[in-house]
Amino acid sequence: MFPNVDGFHWTFGHILFLSIFFAVLLTVGFTAATALARMMRNLRPKKVAEIRWHTEFEDLPASDRQCRHALTGAAPGRVCENGFECRHCADYPKFSGTAPEPQGRLYHRGHTWVERQPDGTFLVGLDELGEKLIGAGAQVELPAPGTRLASHDVAWRMGKPGNTVRLLAPVEGEVVETGSREKGWYLRVKPESPWPDLRHLLGGAAAAVWLDREMERVQALLAPAGMQPTLADGGVLVDDLPKAQPEADWHAIHGAMFLEP
Amino acid sequence: MADMVSTLNRPAVADREWIARAQDRCSTSRFLLWLTPWTLLLAAGLYAAYLCLRYGLHQTNMDNRFVFGLWIFLDLAIIALGAGAFFTGFLLYILRWKELKAVIATAVIVGFVCYSGAVLVLMVDVGQPVRAWFTFWHPNTHSMLTEVTFCISAYLVVLSIEYLPILLKNRKLRKVPSFLVFEFEMHKLMPVLAGVGAFLSFFHQGSLGGLFGVLRGQPFAFREGFGIWPTTFFLFILSAMAVGPVFVMLVTRLVEAVTSKRLVRPQVYQVLARTSGLLLTFYVLLKTIDTLVWLNSTSRQAGYRPWEYYAWEPFGTWILFAEIVLLGLLPALILLSPKWRARPGWMLAGALLACAGVVLNRFVLTIQTLALPTLPFEQFLTYMPNWQETATFLGVIAYGVIVYSLSYRYLSLFPQEKELAREGKEASHVS
């Protein structure tokens, strides 16, 4: 068929068919090459963190992606399509109005929190529910001081052999000191700007409602199929849930609560 | 004690780190037990394929007259059933039917398995796999098979590229930054691949049908058409598009039944069934017109009395009735009717009948066409596949089951699975 093949003569049919065929092949090749080129361009830690969070957020069920304004009742049923990034949400001002930004401890939906310190640094920790979900005696892998964190990226890892979870960074900045469970915080972070925009975190009434709902979620996840949740009357969770309920599927529960697919 | 309780209540999943957190999968030992018979079947298939490649096609029951046997018939059938990959991709990425996101991964894997399986069998059938490149360098430019070969090869490449992002979403693999970013970037370019896939599928599905329609020496299959394309070209495309969505639904329902899990919302099945119902109705209408034209014009002009073809048992007129009415019109009506479609049993029956109809259509065009005598001195030919042919094909089925099983276990195929499991748990609490 091709040149240098005995008996080959170009015809209009050959040219048309081969042109279409190779155009298709070129399109496929070009598409794959474009993806590779973009991959090479985006292999920067900050961009990788952004993409990781984007894909993980996309995998979350709608019920886990409730908008903060749905939690406060300002926009009932609204589902976040923005990776919980209120900083980039066009509708944020519409729902929050001129209300002042909440102060004090601010929560990431992955159960980490951040608290501004007088020296301009931020303490980052794991909330009480998060600690109970992981349980006592967990191994903690903290990043070394000097490590740069991006919002929603992996801040540190903790857990037990065979089931380690990654905790998400609530704020971007440089790790300047590491803490421990005993200290009540795990990282001290120096943000890139003295007053970072923390609108993507929950505080005040929204945080209170969210924490209540998270408690309900834990109860539902822990209740064996066919059994009623047992803490709906206001009971208090034990300190080490995996130890108290070893038969539960902790891989799935940790995945659901710490937003890890 | 705690560990003991844990062991007693939850089966050991040694490969848990490779499975997405929210996916509840069986224990490793149970999974290996499930794979064992399929692996044995695959081994038998590989041995049969080796015999055919080593000693030649006389290892099969095909001969110079009966050149298309079980392999080509089932190849055509699985290529039609695998059309769900391109068509679902087209509906999701080009027409933006977002609800189909729930089944796109399964559609791609089913397509990949069907096409790669068909190509594997073709390589055994054609023989001399080392010279496979000849078909690209020395093709017969007057044969529809050239177009089929080029398009299927290119489409298999497209399917492999489409499968790659699904593979890279594995829990362990996505931890590798380059895999994560490549998957993300590929996903953004998926509409391009969906468009290319639809283009390639349109032509190779059509050319597979056209292959029979241009057989002037086989008046049972020969059809008039438009330009160089006989009517079978268009009927093959349409029938493949019609059954593709319901085959994806059948596979998903089968997985749901085997695993006792809900994986996809019923609304998605409704969309798939309705789409298939509409296309199948259109196909049955065109097939009926085509058959009437062939009975009353094409065949008679060639000097044949068409009803005589149906005098050769077992291929009586029942086969025409079964193909057009029982496995065509009936499932089309079931899938089109919102009332019947709403009942899972009816919907499944409709889907099964529709798929069986297309398989029968491919059987008629390959096996019945070759079996019928054309010239006065010819005899009615009979053919029965031998164990080598059967084992080779069963090996491909086993390959498909193994690929799908591994994908189901280690990849996140069903985005609604997590939420449906949670809803199921909540429902059990309420009840």
Side-chain angles (χ1 to χ4, degrees):
Chain A
M1 178 173 187
F2 293 107
N4 303 322
V5 173
D6 284 345
F8 175 78
H9 301 289
W10 282 108
T11 63
F12 174 71
H14 289 136
I15 295 168
L16 182 70
F17 177 72
L18 288 176
S19 300
I20 294 173
F21 179 69
F22 284 110
V24 167
L25 280 191
L26 277 175
T27 307
V28 174
F30 184 74
T31 306
T34 305
L36 271 173
R38 288 182 179 176
M39 179 200 82
M40 300 299 283
R41 192 185 63 200
N42 289 330
L43 270 179
R44 289 171 287 119
K46 196 171 177 182
K47 193 70 187 171
V48 171
E50 199 179 293
I51 289 172
R52 174 169 286 123
W53 172 242
H54 178 88
T55 56
E56 290 180 359
F57 181 81
E58 287 277 302
D59 288 346
L60 291 177
S63 56
D64 290 355
R65 287 190 277 118
Q66 280 200 54
C67 169
R68 64 189 303 145
H69 303 295
L71 295 171
T72 56
R78 186 179 155 90
V79 172
C80 178
E81 301 292 347
N82 226 4
F84 296 140
E85 265 303 345
C86 308
R87 295 176 288 193
H88 307 138
C89 176
D91 291 336
Y92 182 82
K94 188 169 83 184
F95 294 115
S96 60
T98 55
E101 279 186 37
Q103 300 297 310
R105 190 169 282 194
L106 301 175
Y107 294 86
H108 188 276
R109 304 285 185 104
H111 288 275
T112 48
W113 53 258
V114 66
E115 201 172 275
R116 188 179 176 81
Q117 299 300 296
D119 63 356
T121 60
F122 284 81
L123 291 184
V124 176
L126 183 63
D127 69 22
E128 194 185 356
L129 180 57
E131 293 282 7
K132 290 180 176 184
L133 283 166
I134 288 177
Q139 294 169 350
V140 184
E141 284 176 48
L142 296 172
T147 307
R148 299 204 69 80
L149 296 181
S151 281
H152 314 294
D153 192 13
V154 179
W156 75 95
R157 295 178 193 279
M158 60 194 295
K160 291 165 188 171
N163 185 14
T164 307
V165 289
R166 49 103 183 101
L167 284 311
L168 299 175
V171 64
E172 51 264 26
E174 183 185 339
V175 176
V176 291
E177 190 185 349
T178 55
S180 65
R181 186 175 198 164
E182 291 68 36
K183 286 184 181 174
W185 54 272
Y186 288 92
L187 302 173
R188 185 187 291 275
V189 175
K190 186 181 174 191
E192 288 169 357
S193 68
W195 292 97
D197 187 346
L198 298 175
R199 278 179 295 169
H200 61 295
L201 301 175
L202 298 175
V209 176
W210 171 72
L211 281 167
D212 280 349
R213 292 204 179 177
E214 289 294 280
M215 281 290 288
E216 287 169 16
R217 273 181 74 200
V218 172
Q219 290 173 43
L221 288 166
L222 282 171
M227 193 181 284
Q228 297 285 350
T230 51
L231 297 179
D233 59 350
V236 178
L237 285 179
V238 295
D239 282 340
D240 191 338
L241 285 165
K243 191 178 173 188
Q245 277 193 254
E247 73 283 1
D249 184 356
W250 285 102
H251 269 273
I253 295 170
H254 285 158
M257 301 306 293
F258 297 114
L259 312 181
E260 185 175 346
Chain B
M1 180 63 190
D3 288 340
M4 213 172 119
V5 174
S6 174
T7 311
L8 285 173
N9 287 286
R10 299 206 67 78
V13 184
D15 48 356
R16 196 70 184 85
E17 292 280 301
W18 288 86
I19 301 171
R21 283 184 178 271
Q23 287 175 192
D24 185 21
R25 296 291 179 263
C26 66
S27 67
T28 313
S29 53
R30 198 169 167 191
F31 182 63
L32 290 174
L33 197 64
W34 159 260
L35 287 184
T36 303
W38 300 109
T39 310
L40 291 174
L41 202 54
L42 177 62
L46 287 172
Y47 177 64
Y50 160 76
L51 289 178
C52 295
L53 289 172
R54 176 74 179 81
Y55 299 107
L57 282 180
H58 63 77
Q59 287 284 311
T60 71
N61 275 353
M62 289 184 284
D63 55 35
N64 287 342
R65 274 288 321 267
F66 228 112
V67 290
F68 286 173
L70 176 78
W71 289 342
I72 296 295
F73 150 53
L74 288 176
D75 263 6
L76 292 188
I78 61 171
I79 282 176
L81 297 174
F86 97 82
F87 194 50
T88 312
F90 176 78
L91 294 175
L92 173 65
Y93 295 114
I94 310 287
L95 300 188
R96 300 276 170 192
W97 289 21
K98 289 192 174 173
E99 54 271 60
L100 295 182
K101 197 178 169 189
V103 289
I104 188 66
T106 277
V108 167
I109 295 172
V110 165
F112 176 78
V113 161
C114 287
Y115 276 80
S116 54
V119 168
L120 285 173
V121 168
L122 271 179
M123 290 191 83
V124 181
D125 197 354
V126 174
Q128 302 282 8
V130 179
R131 296 181 192 170
W133 60 275
F134 274 38
T135 193
F136 298 102
W137 199 255
H138 302 283
N140 174 3
T141 49
H142 303 288
S143 169
M144 290 260 182
L145 268 178
T146 297
E147 200 273 328
V148 171
T149 312
F150 275 51
C151 281
I152 286 188
S153 310
Y155 186 49
L156 187 55
V157 173
V158 171
L159 279 171
S160 307
I161 297 175
E162 286 182 339
Y163 188 19
L164 202 56
I166 301 170
L167 196 68
L168 296 180
K169 274 199 114 173
N170 168 269
R171 184 176 165 191
K172 277 267 192 190
L173 296 181
R174 72 195 296 174
K175 286 180 180 168
V176 180
S178 50
F179 288 172
L180 176 86
V181 179
F182 184 70
E183 183 273 318
F184 176 74
E185 295 299 343
M186 273 309 297
H187 192 75
K188 287 201 285 190
L189 295 168
M190 217 41 97
V192 179
L193 293 177
V196 170
F199 177 82
L200 290 170
S201 296
F202 184 88
F203 280 99
H204 73 245
Q205 294 280 0
S207 292
L208 280 171
L211 186 71
F212 296 97
V214 296
L215 293 176
R216 278 194 181 273
Q218 300 283 357
F220 179 72
F222 178 73
R223 296 289 190 278
E224 302 287 350
F226 307 94
I228 60 168
W229 297 292
T231 52
T232 45
F233 180 93
F234 304 99
L235 290 173
F236 258 52
I237 297 169
L238 195 54
S239 56
M241 281 163 62
V243 295
V246 280
F247 188 65
V248 170
M249 178 177 89
L250 281 178
V251 171
T252 312
R253 290 301 303 261
L254 187 65
V255 178
E256 285 186 326
V258 170
T259 60
S260 307
K261 285 189 179 66
R262 286 178 65 209
L263 302 169
V264 171
R265 291 190 186 283
Q267 296 91 311
V268 180
Y269 291 136
Q270 289 291 320
V271 172
L272 292 171
R274 192 181 63 227
T275 308
S276 281
L278 275 168
L279 290 166
L280 198 59
T281 308
F282 191 42
Y283 166 72
V284 169
L285 178 69
L286 293 186
K287 173 77 185 169
T288 307
I289 294 170
D290 175 69
T291 306
L292 288 173
V293 170
W294 174 72
L295 285 171
N296 295 298
S297 172
T298 316
S299 187
R300 290 181 193 280
Q301 280 175 12
Y304 291 91
R305 278 171 291 187
W307 293 112
E308 285 180 6
Y309 291 122
Y310 295 98
W312 298 96
E313 291 299 333
F315 303 130
T317 47
W318 66 268
I319 208 162
L320 196 60
F321 174 79
E323 193 189 336
I324 297 178
V325 181
L326 194 63
L327 304 176
L329 186 62
L330 180 62
L333 293 176
I334 292 172
L335 296 172
L336 261 188
S337 159
K339 193 176 153 191
W340 286 346
R341 213 172 51 221
R343 297 179 181 176
W346 278 102
M347 189 165 68
L348 274 181
L352 273 171
L353 290 175
C355 291
V358 168
V359 171
L360 181 63
N361 173 260
R362 278 30 173 188
F363 175 84
V364 166
L365 278 175
T366 45
I367 306 298
Q368 192 178 351
T369 296
L370 289 177
L372 294 174
T374 304
L375 300 170
F377 54 82
E378 286 182 331
Q379 298 294 311
F380 178 81
L381 293 178
T382 55
Y383 154 83
M384 185 62 74
N386 66 4
W387 80 264
Q388 287 95 326
E389 289 170 83
T390 312
T392 302
F393 203 84
L394 288 177
V396 168
I397 301 284
Y399 150 80
V401 173
I402 291 169
V403 169
Y404 192 88
S405 301
L406 290 168
S407 301
Y408 173 74
R409 185 170 179 85
Y410 296 112
L411 311 177
S412 300
L413 303 189
F414 299 103
Q416 294 174 348
E417 181 183 357
K418 204 186 291 185
E419 201 148 27
L420 285 168
R422 195 178 296 175
E423 286 171 13
K425 203 170 175 188
E426 283 166 7
S428 70
H429 290 158
V430 172
S431 63

